[in-house]
PDB file of all heavy atoms in Angstrom:
ATOM      1  N   MET U 192      48.082  30.123 185.059  1.00  0.00           N
ATOM      2  CA  MET U 192      47.996  28.683 184.867  1.00  0.00           C
ATOM      3  C   MET U 192      46.700  28.366 184.137  1.00  0.00           C
ATOM      4  O   MET U 192      45.637  28.883 184.482  1.00  0.00           O
ATOM      5  CB  MET U 192      48.052  27.944 186.208  1.00  0.00           C
ATOM      6  CG  MET U 192      48.082  26.425 186.057  1.00  0.00           C
ATOM      7  SD  MET U 192      48.167  25.537 187.630  1.00  0.00           S
ATOM      8  CE  MET U 192      46.526  25.862 188.275  1.00  0.00           C
ATOM      9  N   ARG U 234      55.432  23.547 181.622  1.00  0.00           N
ATOM     10  CA  ARG U 234      54.508  22.728 182.378  1.00  0.00           C
ATOM     11  C   ARG U 234      54.456  23.195 183.828  1.00  0.00           C
ATOM     12  O   ARG U 234      55.456  23.617 184.390  1.00  0.00           O
ATOM     13  CB  ARG U 234      54.910  21.257 182.317  1.00  0.00           C
ATOM     14  CG  ARG U 234      54.677  20.612 180.937  1.00  0.00           C
ATOM     15  CD  ARG U 234      54.954  19.125 180.998  1.00  0.00           C
ATOM     16  NE  ARG U 234      54.548  18.472 179.768  1.00  0.00           N
ATOM     17  CZ  ARG U 234      55.373  18.163 178.775  1.00  0.00           C
ATOM     18  NH1 ARG U 234      56.660  18.481 178.872  1.00  0.00           N
ATOM     19  NH2 ARG U 234      54.932  17.560 177.691  1.00  0.00           N
ATOM     20  N   ALA U 235      53.277  23.081 184.413  1.00  0.00           N
ATOM     21  CA  ALA U 235      53.094  23.514 185.799  1.00  0.00           C
ATOM     22  C   ALA U 235      53.665  22.462 186.740  1.00  0.00           C
ATOM     23  O   ALA U 235      53.351  21.273 186.624  1.00  0.00           O
ATOM     24  CB  ALA U 235      51.615  23.736 186.086  1.00  0.00           C
ATOM     25  N   SER U 236      54.517  22.896 187.652  1.00  0.00           N
ATOM     26  CA  SER U 236      55.024  22.008 188.691  1.00  0.00           C
ATOM     27  C   SER U 236      53.991  21.907 189.815  1.00  0.00           C
ATOM     28  O   SER U 236      52.976  22.603 189.820  1.00  0.00           O
ATOM     29  CB  SER U 236      56.357  22.525 189.230  1.00  0.00           C
ATOM     30  OG  SER U 236      56.175  23.792 189.855  1.00  0.00           O
ATOM     31  N   LEU U 237      54.271  21.025 190.772  1.00  0.00           N
ATOM     32  CA  LEU U 237      53.341  20.888 191.886  1.00  0.00           C
ATOM     33  C   LEU U 237      53.280  22.172 192.704  1.00  0.00           C
ATOM     34  O   LEU U 237      52.209  22.548 193.204  1.00  0.00           O
ATOM     35  CB  LEU U 237      53.760  19.710 192.766  1.00  0.00           C
ATOM     36  CG  LEU U 237      52.843  19.386 193.952  1.00  0.00           C
ATOM     37  CD1 LEU U 237      51.414  19.139 193.487  1.00  0.00           C
ATOM     38  CD2 LEU U 237      53.369  18.196 194.740  1.00  0.00           C
ATOM     39  N   GLU U 238      54.387  22.861 192.817  1.00  0.00           N
ATOM     40  CA  GLU U 238      54.390  24.151 193.520  1.00  0.00           C
ATOM     41  C   GLU U 238      53.521  25.164 192.789  1.00  0.00           C
ATOM     42  O   GLU U 238      52.740  25.893 193.417  1.00  0.00           O
ATOM     43  CB  GLU U 238      55.819  24.674 193.647  1.00  0.00           C
ATOM     44  CG  GLU U 238      55.921  26.013 194.329  1.00  0.00           C
ATOM     45  CD  GLU U 238      57.333  26.563 194.331  1.00  0.00           C
ATOM     46  OE1 GLU U 238      58.206  25.954 193.694  1.00  0.00           O
ATOM     47  OE2 GLU U 238      57.559  27.613 194.962  1.00  0.00           O
ATOM     48  N   ASP U 239      53.659  25.228 191.462  1.00  0.00           N
ATOM     49  CA  ASP U 239      52.818  26.145 190.684  1.00  0.00           C
ATOM     50  C   ASP U 239      51.341  25.790 190.829  1.00  0.00           C
ATOM     51  O   ASP U 239      50.493  26.676 190.981  1.00  0.00           O
ATOM     52  CB  ASP U 239      53.216  26.096 189.207  1.00  0.00           C
ATOM     53  CG  ASP U 239      54.634  26.572 188.976  1.00  0.00           C
ATOM     54  OD1 ASP U 239      55.063  27.499 189.672  1.00  0.00           O
ATOM     55  OD2 ASP U 239      55.321  25.990 188.114  1.00  0.00           O
ATOM     56  N   TYR U 240      51.040  24.513 190.755  1.00  0.00           N
ATOM     57  CA  TYR U 240      49.647  24.100 190.817  1.00  0.00           C
ATOM     58  C   TYR U 240      49.016  24.467 192.158  1.00  0.00           C
ATOM     59  O   TYR U 240      47.873  24.944 192.216  1.00  0.00           O
ATOM     60  CB  TYR U 240      49.547  22.599 190.575  1.00  0.00           C
ATOM     61  CG  TYR U 240      48.134  22.074 190.633  1.00  0.00           C
ATOM     62  CD1 TYR U 240      47.230  22.342 189.616  1.00  0.00           C
ATOM     63  CD2 TYR U 240      47.702  21.308 191.712  1.00  0.00           C
ATOM     64  CE1 TYR U 240      45.931  21.878 189.667  1.00  0.00           C
ATOM     65  CE2 TYR U 240      46.402  20.836 191.780  1.00  0.00           C
ATOM     66  CZ  TYR U 240      45.518  21.127 190.751  1.00  0.00           C
ATOM     67  OH  TYR U 240      44.228  20.672 190.815  1.00  0.00           O
ATOM     68  N   VAL U 241      49.748  24.271 193.233  1.00  0.00           N
ATOM     69  CA  VAL U 241      49.220  24.588 194.549  1.00  0.00           C
ATOM     70  C   VAL U 241      48.973  26.085 194.700  1.00  0.00           C
ATOM     71  O   VAL U 241      47.985  26.520 195.298  1.00  0.00           O
ATOM     72  CB  VAL U 241      50.175  24.062 195.640  1.00  0.00           C
ATOM     73  CG1 VAL U 241      49.832  24.651 196.995  1.00  0.00           C
ATOM     74  CG2 VAL U 241      50.116  22.547 195.698  1.00  0.00           C
ATOM     75  N   LEU U 242      49.852  26.901 194.129  1.00  0.00           N
ATOM     76  CA  LEU U 242      49.713  28.343 194.276  1.00  0.00           C
ATOM     77  C   LEU U 242      48.610  28.920 193.395  1.00  0.00           C
ATOM     78  O   LEU U 242      47.993  29.935 193.757  1.00  0.00           O
ATOM     79  CB  LEU U 242      51.037  29.028 193.952  1.00  0.00           C
ATOM     80  CG  LEU U 242      52.186  28.796 194.936  1.00  0.00           C
ATOM     81  CD1 LEU U 242      53.472  29.432 194.421  1.00  0.00           C
ATOM     82  CD2 LEU U 242      51.843  29.359 196.308  1.00  0.00           C
ATOM     83  N   TYR U 243      48.344  28.314 192.221  1.00  0.00           N
ATOM     84  CA  TYR U 243      47.412  28.903 191.267  1.00  0.00           C
ATOM     85  C   TYR U 243      46.123  28.106 191.095  1.00  0.00           C
ATOM     86  O   TYR U 243      45.276  28.497 190.292  1.00  0.00           O
ATOM     87  CB  TYR U 243      48.092  29.050 189.896  1.00  0.00           C
ATOM     88  CG  TYR U 243      49.228  30.049 189.905  1.00  0.00           C
ATOM     89  CD1 TYR U 243      50.544  29.620 189.957  1.00  0.00           C
ATOM     90  CD2 TYR U 243      48.981  31.414 189.872  1.00  0.00           C
ATOM     91  CE1 TYR U 243      51.590  30.529 189.979  1.00  0.00           C
ATOM     92  CE2 TYR U 243      50.010  32.329 189.892  1.00  0.00           C
ATOM     93  CZ  TYR U 243      51.322  31.882 189.938  1.00  0.00           C
ATOM     94  OH  TYR U 243      52.349  32.780 189.965  1.00  0.00           O
ATOM     95  N   MET U 244      45.961  27.011 191.796  1.00  0.00           N
ATOM     96  CA  MET U 244      44.725  26.253 191.662  1.00  0.00           C
ATOM     97  C   MET U 244      43.572  26.989 192.355  1.00  0.00           C
ATOM     98  O   MET U 244      43.781  27.904 193.156  1.00  0.00           O
ATOM     99  CB  MET U 244      44.894  24.857 192.286  1.00  0.00           C
ATOM    100  CG  MET U 244      45.053  24.878 193.787  1.00  0.00           C
ATOM    101  SD  MET U 244      45.348  23.227 194.455  1.00  0.00           S
ATOM    102  CE  MET U 244      45.444  23.586 196.220  1.00  0.00           C
ATOM    103  N   PRO U 253      53.936  26.325 199.870  1.00  0.00           N
ATOM    104  CA  PRO U 253      55.013  25.344 199.648  1.00  0.00           C
ATOM    105  C   PRO U 253      56.185  25.481 200.609  1.00  0.00           C
ATOM    106  O   PRO U 253      56.772  24.475 201.013  1.00  0.00           O
ATOM    107  CB  PRO U 253      55.433  25.623 198.197  1.00  0.00           C
ATOM    108  CG  PRO U 253      54.210  26.172 197.552  1.00  0.00           C
ATOM    109  CD  PRO U 253      53.524  26.977 198.613  1.00  0.00           C
ATOM    110  N   GLY U 279      43.377  21.117 199.540  1.00  0.00           N
ATOM    111  CA  GLY U 279      44.085  19.938 199.048  1.00  0.00           C
ATOM    112  C   GLY U 279      45.556  20.139 198.791  1.00  0.00           C
ATOM    113  O   GLY U 279      46.190  19.267 198.202  1.00  0.00           O
ATOM    114  N   ALA U 280      46.150  21.250 199.224  1.00  0.00           N
ATOM    115  CA  ALA U 280      47.570  21.499 198.956  1.00  0.00           C
ATOM    116  C   ALA U 280      48.450  20.523 199.733  1.00  0.00           C
ATOM    117  O   ALA U 280      49.310  19.837 199.151  1.00  0.00           O
ATOM    118  CB  ALA U 280      47.918  22.942 199.317  1.00  0.00           C
ATOM    119  N   SER U 282      47.631  17.750 201.069  1.00  0.00           N
ATOM    120  CA  SER U 282      47.337  16.375 200.656  1.00  0.00           C
ATOM    121  C   SER U 282      48.182  15.979 199.453  1.00  0.00           C
ATOM    122  O   SER U 282      48.667  14.838 199.362  1.00  0.00           O
ATOM    123  CB  SER U 282      45.854  16.236 200.324  1.00  0.00           C
ATOM    124  OG  SER U 282      45.042  16.617 201.418  1.00  0.00           O
ATOM    125  N   LEU U 283      48.385  16.895 198.506  1.00  0.00           N
ATOM    126  CA  LEU U 283      49.200  16.599 197.334  1.00  0.00           C
ATOM    127  C   LEU U 283      50.663  16.412 197.714  1.00  0.00           C
ATOM    128  O   LEU U 283      51.335  15.500 197.207  1.00  0.00           O
ATOM    129  CB  LEU U 283      49.049  17.713 196.303  1.00  0.00           C
ATOM    130  CG  LEU U 283      47.728  17.744 195.539  1.00  0.00           C
ATOM    131  CD1 LEU U 283      47.578  19.051 194.778  1.00  0.00           C
ATOM    132  CD2 LEU U 283      47.651  16.565 194.574  1.00  0.00           C
ATOM    133  N   PHE U 284      51.188  17.252 198.589  1.00  0.00           N
ATOM    134  CA  PHE U 284      52.579  17.099 199.009  1.00  0.00           C
ATOM    135  C   PHE U 284      52.790  15.795 199.768  1.00  0.00           C
ATOM    136  O   PHE U 284      53.797  15.104 199.580  1.00  0.00           O
ATOM    137  CB  PHE U 284      52.995  18.294 199.872  1.00  0.00           C
ATOM    138  CG  PHE U 284      53.192  19.563 199.098  1.00  0.00           C
ATOM    139  CD1 PHE U 284      52.365  20.661 199.304  1.00  0.00           C
ATOM    140  CD2 PHE U 284      54.200  19.677 198.158  1.00  0.00           C
ATOM    141  CE1 PHE U 284      52.545  21.834 198.602  1.00  0.00           C
ATOM    142  CE2 PHE U 284      54.381  20.844 197.433  1.00  0.00           C
ATOM    143  CZ  PHE U 284      53.555  21.928 197.668  1.00  0.00           C
ATOM    144  N   LEU U 285      51.849  15.435 200.624  1.00  0.00           N
ATOM    145  CA  LEU U 285      51.961  14.170 201.349  1.00  0.00           C
ATOM    146  C   LEU U 285      51.831  12.983 200.407  1.00  0.00           C
ATOM    147  O   LEU U 285      52.513  11.960 200.581  1.00  0.00           O
ATOM    148  CB  LEU U 285      50.892  14.108 202.436  1.00  0.00           C
ATOM    149  CG  LEU U 285      51.068  15.045 203.627  1.00  0.00           C
ATOM    150  CD1 LEU U 285      49.842  14.992 204.535  1.00  0.00           C
ATOM    151  CD2 LEU U 285      52.316  14.678 204.423  1.00  0.00           C
ATOM    152  N   SER U 286      50.951  13.100 199.406  1.00  0.00           N
ATOM    153  CA  SER U 286      50.772  12.007 198.452  1.00  0.00           C
ATOM    154  C   SER U 286      52.061  11.714 197.698  1.00  0.00           C
ATOM    155  O   SER U 286      52.417  10.551 197.480  1.00  0.00           O
ATOM    156  CB  SER U 286      49.648  12.356 197.484  1.00  0.00           C
ATOM    157  OG  SER U 286      49.520  11.379 196.477  1.00  0.00           O
ATOM    158  N   ARG U 287      52.762  12.751 197.301  1.00  0.00           N
ATOM    159  CA  ARG U 287      54.023  12.532 196.595  1.00  0.00           C
ATOM    160  C   ARG U 287      55.104  12.000 197.530  1.00  0.00           C
ATOM    161  O   ARG U 287      55.969  11.215 197.124  1.00  0.00           O
ATOM    162  CB  ARG U 287      54.496  13.819 195.930  1.00  0.00           C
ATOM    163  CG  ARG U 287      55.753  13.662 195.120  1.00  0.00           C
ATOM    164  CD  ARG U 287      56.072  14.868 194.280  1.00  0.00           C
ATOM    165  NE  ARG U 287      56.390  16.043 195.074  1.00  0.00           N
ATOM    166  CZ  ARG U 287      56.786  17.202 194.560  1.00  0.00           C
ATOM    167  NH1 ARG U 287      56.872  17.329 193.242  1.00  0.00           N
ATOM    168  NH2 ARG U 287      57.050  18.233 195.329  1.00  0.00           N
ATOM    169  N   ALA U 288      55.076  12.416 198.795  1.00  0.00           N
ATOM    170  CA  ALA U 288      56.125  12.008 199.733  1.00  0.00           C
ATOM    171  C   ALA U 288      56.003  10.531 200.110  1.00  0.00           C
ATOM    172  O   ALA U 288      57.008   9.816 200.185  1.00  0.00           O
ATOM    173  CB  ALA U 288      56.077  12.878 200.983  1.00  0.00           C
ATOM    174  N   ASN U 311      40.618  19.261 193.261  1.00  0.00           N
ATOM    175  CA  ASN U 311      41.997  19.673 192.987  1.00  0.00           C
ATOM    176  C   ASN U 311      42.929  18.475 192.913  1.00  0.00           C
ATOM    177  O   ASN U 311      43.859  18.445 192.092  1.00  0.00           O
ATOM    178  CB  ASN U 311      42.474  20.645 194.064  1.00  0.00           C
ATOM    179  CG  ASN U 311      41.815  21.999 193.954  1.00  0.00           C
ATOM    180  OD1 ASN U 311      41.323  22.399 192.895  1.00  0.00           O
ATOM    181  ND2 ASN U 311      41.790  22.738 195.056  1.00  0.00           N
ATOM    182  N   TRP U 315      44.935  17.318 189.315  1.00  0.00           N
ATOM    183  CA  TRP U 315      46.384  17.173 189.215  1.00  0.00           C
ATOM    184  C   TRP U 315      46.765  15.770 188.732  1.00  0.00           C
ATOM    185  O   TRP U 315      47.687  15.607 187.938  1.00  0.00           O
ATOM    186  CB  TRP U 315      47.028  17.472 190.559  1.00  0.00           C
ATOM    187  CG  TRP U 315      48.495  17.153 190.570  1.00  0.00           C
ATOM    188  CD1 TRP U 315      49.108  16.082 191.146  1.00  0.00           C
ATOM    189  CD2 TRP U 315      49.538  17.910 189.945  1.00  0.00           C
ATOM    190  NE1 TRP U 315      50.454  16.117 190.932  1.00  0.00           N
ATOM    191  CE2 TRP U 315      50.747  17.244 190.189  1.00  0.00           C
ATOM    192  CE3 TRP U 315      49.557  19.092 189.210  1.00  0.00           C
ATOM    193  CZ2 TRP U 315      51.977  17.710 189.729  1.00  0.00           C
ATOM    194  CZ3 TRP U 315      50.775  19.562 188.743  1.00  0.00           C
ATOM    195  CH2 TRP U 315      51.965  18.875 189.001  1.00  0.00           C
ATOM    196  N   TRP U 319      48.946  14.969 185.386  1.00  0.00           N
ATOM    197  CA  TRP U 319      50.195  14.225 185.547  1.00  0.00           C
ATOM    198  C   TRP U 319      50.240  13.001 184.631  1.00  0.00           C
ATOM    199  O   TRP U 319      51.286  12.662 184.059  1.00  0.00           O
ATOM    200  CB  TRP U 319      50.368  13.812 187.004  1.00  0.00           C
ATOM    201  CG  TRP U 319      51.602  12.999 187.261  1.00  0.00           C
ATOM    202  CD1 TRP U 319      51.716  11.641 187.258  1.00  0.00           C
ATOM    203  CD2 TRP U 319      52.911  13.495 187.542  1.00  0.00           C
ATOM    204  NE1 TRP U 319      52.994  11.260 187.530  1.00  0.00           N
ATOM    205  CE2 TRP U 319      53.757  12.372 187.709  1.00  0.00           C
ATOM    206  CE3 TRP U 319      53.438  14.772 187.677  1.00  0.00           C
ATOM    207  CZ2 TRP U 319      55.113  12.507 188.007  1.00  0.00           C
ATOM    208  CZ3 TRP U 319      54.778  14.898 187.973  1.00  0.00           C
ATOM    209  CH2 TRP U 319      55.597  13.785 188.135  1.00  0.00           C
ATOM    210  N   ARG U 322      51.099  14.055 181.218  1.00  0.00           N
ATOM    211  CA  ARG U 322      52.454  14.606 181.137  1.00  0.00           C
ATOM    212  C   ARG U 322      53.514  13.517 181.169  1.00  0.00           C
ATOM    213  O   ARG U 322      54.454  13.539 180.382  1.00  0.00           O
ATOM    214  CB  ARG U 322      52.644  15.577 182.300  1.00  0.00           C
ATOM    215  CG  ARG U 322      54.058  16.070 182.512  1.00  0.00           C
ATOM    216  CD  ARG U 322      54.098  16.970 183.734  1.00  0.00           C
ATOM    217  NE  ARG U 322      55.435  17.426 184.053  1.00  0.00           N
ATOM    218  CZ  ARG U 322      55.737  18.206 185.081  1.00  0.00           C
ATOM    219  NH1 ARG U 322      54.768  18.614 185.880  1.00  0.00           N
ATOM    220  NH2 ARG U 322      56.966  18.569 185.310  1.00  0.00           N
ATOM    221  N   TRP U 327      49.454   9.057 188.510  1.00  0.00           N
ATOM    222  CA  TRP U 327      49.824   9.508 189.846  1.00  0.00           C
ATOM    223  C   TRP U 327      49.209   8.542 190.859  1.00  0.00           C
ATOM    224  O   TRP U 327      48.046   8.148 190.723  1.00  0.00           O
ATOM    225  CB  TRP U 327      49.309  10.930 190.068  1.00  0.00           C
ATOM    226  CG  TRP U 327      49.621  11.536 191.405  1.00  0.00           C
ATOM    227  CD1 TRP U 327      48.923  11.365 192.553  1.00  0.00           C
ATOM    228  CD2 TRP U 327      50.701  12.412 191.719  1.00  0.00           C
ATOM    229  NE1 TRP U 327      49.486  12.079 193.575  1.00  0.00           N
ATOM    230  CE2 TRP U 327      50.590  12.746 193.091  1.00  0.00           C
ATOM    231  CE3 TRP U 327      51.745  12.965 190.992  1.00  0.00           C
ATOM    232  CZ2 TRP U 327      51.482  13.589 193.737  1.00  0.00           C
ATOM    233  CZ3 TRP U 327      52.635  13.816 191.634  1.00  0.00           C
ATOM    234  CH2 TRP U 327      52.504  14.120 192.984  1.00  0.00           C
TER     235      TRP U 327
END
Side-chain angles (χ1 to χ4, degrees):
M192 185 179 70
R234 289 186 171 98
S236 63
L237 183 56
E238 179 185 6
D239 297 324
Y240 180 72
V241 167
L242 292 175
Y243 294 102
M244 68 183 181
S282 303
L283 286 168
F284 287 115
L285 290 173
S286 175
R287 183 170 66 176
N311 289 337
W315 172 256
W319 178 268
R322 170 183 177 181
W327 180 276

